[in-house]
Each structure stands twice: as C-alpha cells, then as structure tokens.
C-alpha cells in the first residue's frame, strides 16, 4: 500500500515541480556527522543542522565505526526536530524524505536509512535514495543555483579523488581517479604521523600557512601521464622523512613539512584538473568533497583556472564537508529526472560507487 502511494506521489512531484514548491527532508549519517536539512526546490536551504562527533573520535585518532553508529542513534531524533523547527516546517509539509544510503560506514549509514524509511512510511511520502558522492557534487547547485551540466567536477574527499565529467543530473563520465589512497586520507595519515590528531586536513591546512614549501618529497608513484592519481607514494615519502629525522634526532619543522606536502598534493590535482578541462573543452570546474574546503586548493585552482579562462566553483565551507543540505539538493535533481525512488527494502551500501561511464 505504502509503495503504491509513494510511487503516485513521486510521479506527481516530477510532473508538478515547475508549478509548486517541493520540500525535502534530507538525512546524512555516512560517517561522523549526523545531519538533517530541510530544502525547498532543491536549491534553497531552510535549515541544515550538523551534529558533529569529531571531538568524540579525536580521542581515538580517527572514526570508530561502532561509536559513530551509537552516536548517530542518540542524535538523530533531536537533529530532525531541530531542522524542522529552524526551517519553520511541519512534518505534514514534507513532500519527500531523502537519505544517503552509501558510500560510508555501514552501521552509521543504517541509522539514517532506517530512520528515513520509518519517517517516509509514517508520512506516506516518497523515499529518495542518494549516493553520498553525488551529494557532494550537488552542494554546488545550492551555492550556484544557475549551475547546469555539463561541467567538470573534481571530487576530493576522505574516500575519493576523481575527475568526472557531469553530463547531466544522472550521468557522469569518469576521466581519472586515484589508484590507491584518496587525497583526504593522505592528509589524515600525514597529520597522524606528525602527531597533529584527527581530522588532519584542516590542521595541515592551518599549519602550512606558517611554513615554507622547501622540502622535496620524492614520489615515484605520482602519475605523470593521463588523469589518474596516486597518493600512497606521497604519504609514504612524508612518513619516511619524519622517521629518518627522528632516527637522526634532528628537529622536524612541522609547518614546513605541512607546506611542502600540501603543495605537492594540491598541485597534482590542480594541474590535472586544468588539463582535463582543456582536453574535454569544459569551461566550468566544480569542486566537491571535504578537501574542497582546503584554502591552498581554493586559492591555487581559482587563480590558475582563471588564467586559463575557466570558471572554478567551490561550495561554501559548511557545504564542503558532510552535510544533509547537499543530499537534499541531489534528491531534488533525482526527483525532477524521475530517478532515485526507493522502497522499504532500501539498505545501506557501504562501498557504493559513483556510477560512471568510463571515457
Ligand atoms: O567529504 P568529507 O567530509 O567526508 C568524506 O566523504 O570523506 O571529507 C573528509 C576529508 C577528511 O580526510 C579531512 O581531513 C578532509 O576532508 N578535509 C580537509 C580539509 N577539511 C577537511 N583536507 C584538507 N584541508 C582542509 N581544510
Ligand atoms: Zn563526504
């Protein structure tokens, strides 16, 4: 019964989106942020509440999956209430419930997925399943409401490093990706080796401002040709440098290590992104994922991109790292394209990949 009602309402939303407002309640719980947002017409953020567990996981030096699920469970009800209240929206006004179903930590995802299923069932509204990485790209539609595909997207997060051609709301073509570690992962691991704690990205970003790019990290792995990446070699080179210094009892200039690592890591993605934009004749570059909040990447890609006549878009900081507003934006794009409707059998898919066609 629910399934038929949801299907009918979903088809109605697809038909009526140009003539009426669509209110989506979106839930994100793939890692260590419990987030709920209320989004109007896929572009207007009425509320975007983010309850972060960073302080809890920092004690362990990284995200502990069981601890993450337990904290999502404790937080989610309150976060939903706060999101509705802040948006001044009641449950009866919600047209669809959207949820991240992958990729991410399975136990963490399941909290959001099960909550979303119960809510959609109780409200008798469509349940929309959202791919987390596509959500990161869609953060840019909120920041730049007139943005439309095709464009080039650089996805840089804790789990992904990829250059993708976004052909339309549904189709992506993979141009290049990492063959080992993701860039965010290399930031986190280098930070851990330097004793900076979790999450490493923002800490390295800050310290690098006080340092000089004066250390050359020899990486045999950074891929000179094509559009693929390798961050494992760079991470190992930095860790080896730190170990050698420690063995020799020599002082480590942490800001210089941060600045030098960051320069190598960032230039690799900047150069390949600009090369890809030229090759595929795309004038707009859209950056997505947690590492999009990195100040050196924002500055370098914007400046060098501009020199090449590119428009480079970054979401505001709060929409770069995990949040539910981006999930709502992506759900809206799905609804108006007639995609993404899930039923009550929806489950979490921890290793969900972006569906690409490959060039
Ligand atoms: O997108 P995100 O919030 O979660 C994933 O889906 O992975 O990205 C988290 C990653 C972490 O590796 C974190 O260290 C990195 O983004 N990050 C940064 C910065 N802020 C977050 N990396 C470099 N510079 C930053 N300012
Ligand atoms: Zn993410």
């Amino acid at each position: 019964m629910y399934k038929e009602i949801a299907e009918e309402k979903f088809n109605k939303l697809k038909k009526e989106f140009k003539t009426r407002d669509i209110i989506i309640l979106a839930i994100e719980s793939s890692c260590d942020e419990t987030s709920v947002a209320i989004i109007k017409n896929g572009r207007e953020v009425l509320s975007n509440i983010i309850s972060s567990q960073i302080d809890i996981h920092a004690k362990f030096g990284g995200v502990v999956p069981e601890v993450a699920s337990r904290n999502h469970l404790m937080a989610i009800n309150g976060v939903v209430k706060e999101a509705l209240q802040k948006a001044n929206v009641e449950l009866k006004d919600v047209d669809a419930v959207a949820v991240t179903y992958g990729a991410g930590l399975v136990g963490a995802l399941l909290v959001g997925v099960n909550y979303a299923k119960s809510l959609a069932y109780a409200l008798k509204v469509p349940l929309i399943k959202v791919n987390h990485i596509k959500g990161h790209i869609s953060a840019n539609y909120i920041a730049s409401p007139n943005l439309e595909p095709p464009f080039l997207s650089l996805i840089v997060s804790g789990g992904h490093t990829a250059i993708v051609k976004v052909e339309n709301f549904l189709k992506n073509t993979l141009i290049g990706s990492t063959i080992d570690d993701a860039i965010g992962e290399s930031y986190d691991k280098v930070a851990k080796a330097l004793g900076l704690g979790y999450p490493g990205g923002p800490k390295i970003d800050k310290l690098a401002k006080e340092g000089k790019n004066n250390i050359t990290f020899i990486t045999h792995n950074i891929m000179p040709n094509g559009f693929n990446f390798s961050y494992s070699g760079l991470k190992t080179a930095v860790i080896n440098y730190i170990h050698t210094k420690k063995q020799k009892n020599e002082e480590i200039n942490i800001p210089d290590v941060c600045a030098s690592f960051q320069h190598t890591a960032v230039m690799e993605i900047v150069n390949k992104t600009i090369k890809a934009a030229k090759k595929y004749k795309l004038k707009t570059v859209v950056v997505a994922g947690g590492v999009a909040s990195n100040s050196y990447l924002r500055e370098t890609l914007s400046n060098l991109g501009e020199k090449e006549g590119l428009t480079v878009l970054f979401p505001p900081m709060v929409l770069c790292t995990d949040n539910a507003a981006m999930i709502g934006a992506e759900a809206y794009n799905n609804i108006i394209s007639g995609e993404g409707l899930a039923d009550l059998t929806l489950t979490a898919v921890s290793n969900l990949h972006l569906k690409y066609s490959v060039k």
Side-chain angles (χ1 to χ4, degrees):
M1 193 58 178
Y2 162 76
K3 204 173 167 189
E4 286 76 35
I5 298 173
E7 250 169 41
E8 200 186 312
K9 286 193 178 170
F10 179 78
N11 292 332
K12 224 166 154 218
L13 290 178
K14 194 195 162 198
K15 267 193 218 126
E16 293 175 358
F17 76 92
K18 281 188 181 148
T19 54
R20 56 162 287 202
D21 289 338
I22 295 183
I23 301 287
I24 297 175
L25 184 152
I27 300 176
E28 155 66 38
S29 70
S30 65
C31 191
D32 58 349
E33 259 101 27
T34 319
S35 181
V36 177
I38 309 290
I39 304 295
K40 187 171 159 187
N41 300 329
R43 302 291 181 266
E44 196 183 328
V45 182
L46 302 184
S47 66
N48 184 27
I49 308 297
I50 304 169
S51 165
S52 175
Q53 305 173 9
I54 283 183
D55 293 345
I56 299 167
H57 297 285
K59 288 185 215 123
F60 304 102
V63 178
V64 183
E66 283 78 7
V67 175
S69 331
R70 214 164 294 195
N71 281 282
H72 283 308
L73 206 52
M74 289 195 286
I76 194 155
N77 215 16
V79 178
V80 169
K81 280 193 183 140
E82 200 181 332
L84 286 163
Q85 214 167 37
K86 184 145 186 234
N88 207 7
V89 161
E90 290 180 38
L91 279 175
K92 66 171 175 47
D93 305 324
V94 171
D95 293 301
V97 175
V99 66
T100 304
Y101 76 111
L105 303 168
V106 71
L109 287 164
L110 275 172
V111 176
V113 167
N114 285 326
Y115 196 99
K117 284 191 330 192
S118 319
L119 190 59
Y121 178 74
L123 299 176
K124 303 223 171 344
V125 297
L127 172 69
I128 312 296
K129 58 177 186 174
V130 175
N131 179 317
H132 182 77
I133 296 301
K134 286 194 77 186
H136 271 300
I137 299 175
S138 286
N140 285 282
Y141 296 113
I142 297 172
S144 312
N146 296 324
L147 174 68
E148 274 187 28
F151 53 77
L152 192 75
S153 184
L154 168 66
I155 305 162
V156 277
S157 74
H160 286 77
T161 309
I163 301 176
V164 161
K165 181 179 175 193
V166 177
E167 314 267 2
N168 55 46
F169 286 151
L170 301 180
K171 189 176 172 213
N172 300 296
T173 301
L174 180 67
I175 290 170
S177 70
T178 181
I179 59 156
D180 42 52
D181 291 356
I183 184 169
E185 194 181 346
S186 74
Y187 264 88
D188 293 337
K189 287 179 178 163
V190 165
K192 199 167 184 179
L194 287 169
L196 302 178
Y198 170 86
K203 295 191 170 144
I204 291 184
D205 190 0
K206 195 160 167 236
L207 279 167
K209 292 197 173 89
E210 299 158 24
K212 290 187 204 77
N213 166 28
N214 56 9
I215 309 163
T216 306
F217 292 116
I218 310 288
T219 57
H220 300 291
N221 240 345
I222 284 224
M223 315 193 94
N225 302 316
F227 296 105
N228 284 341
F229 306 95
S230 165
Y231 277 98
S232 162
L234 173 61
K235 168 200 71 188
T236 309
V238 180
I239 292 174
N240 284 344
Y241 172 89
I242 297 167
H243 286 169
T244 310
K245 283 275 185 190
K246 279 187 181 160
Q247 272 162 1
K248 291 185 185 164
N249 257 336
E250 287 175 9
E251 204 184 314
I252 301 170
N253 184 319
I254 293 179
D256 286 356
V257 175
C258 290
S260 306
F261 157 74
Q262 174 158 277
H263 176 78
T264 315
V266 165
M267 287 319 293
E268 177 73 358
I269 44 175
V270 167
N271 289 334
K272 285 186 177 160
T273 302
I274 292 176
K275 204 166 103 183
K278 280 186 182 166
K279 178 164 177 194
Y280 295 99
K281 299 190 170 44
L282 294 164
K283 286 281 170 208
T284 305
V285 174
V286 159
V287 191
V291 183
S293 56
N294 181 268
S295 62
Y296 192 63
L297 172 63
R298 293 175 90 96
E299 189 187 311
T300 318
L301 186 54
S302 300
N303 289 344
L304 296 181
E306 198 179 313
K307 280 195 188 128
E308 300 291 341
L310 302 173
T311 302
V312 182
L313 302 175
F314 286 90
M317 299 296 200
V318 67
L319 297 180
C320 286
T321 40
D322 293 347
N323 67 90
M326 67 185 197
I327 303 303
E330 172 61 16
Y332 180 83
N333 292 347
N334 279 323
I335 292 172
I336 66 174
S337 315
E339 277 284 321
L341 179 65
D343 61 27
L344 300 177
T345 61
L346 181 69
T347 191
V349 183
S350 68
N351 60 353
L352 181 71
H353 292 293
L354 243 195
K355 243 201 211 149
Y356 324 101
S357 54
V358 180
K359 267 240 146 55

